[in-house]
Amino acid sequence: MNYAWLWAEQYNLEIRYLPSYSPELNAIEILWRKIKYEWLSISAYETYSKLKKAVETILDNYCSKYEITFS
C-alpha cells in the first residue's frame, strides 16, 4: 500500500495529481506572463542587455512597484 495515501487518510487530506503541463498552476509562469505581456515595454526587446536590465528592474521592484493580485 502507498504510505502517502495512508498518511493523507490519517490527516483527512485529499491528494490531487496535476496534469504534466499546467502553467496556470505554476507561480513562475504567472509571474513571467505578467512581466512579458504587461510590464515590459517594447523597447526592452531591442537588445539582450536592455531586456536583461528591464527584467532585473522589474524583479528588483516586485512587491513595491510591481505586484500580482489574485482578485
Side-chain angles (χ1 to χ4, degrees):
M1 174 156 270
N2 188 331
Y3 291 105
W5 286 104
L6 290 174
W7 183 84
E9 187 176 288
Q10 177 183 354
Y11 291 97
N12 198 28
L13 299 174
E14 183 178 342
I15 296 176
R16 293 184 182 216
Y17 292 97
L18 297 177
S20 58
Y21 181 71
S22 52
E24 70 281 358
L25 302 175
N26 187 342
I28 196 66
E29 295 281 352
I30 295 167
L31 175 60
W32 179 242
R33 184 173 46 243
K34 290 288 274 188
I35 291 171
K36 186 176 178 183
Y37 295 112
E38 294 181 31
W39 299 335
L40 277 178
S41 66
I42 296 297
S43 63
Y45 293 95
E46 290 174 352
T47 64
Y48 174 75
S49 60
K50 278 187 171 185
L51 179 60
K52 183 179 175 187
K53 178 66 177 163
V55 171
E56 287 174 349
T57 300
I58 290 169
L59 294 177
D60 288 344
N61 291 295
Y62 186 72
C63 292
S64 59
K65 185 177 177 184
Y66 303 97
E67 64 180 324
I68 298 173
T69 55
F70 297 95
S71 57

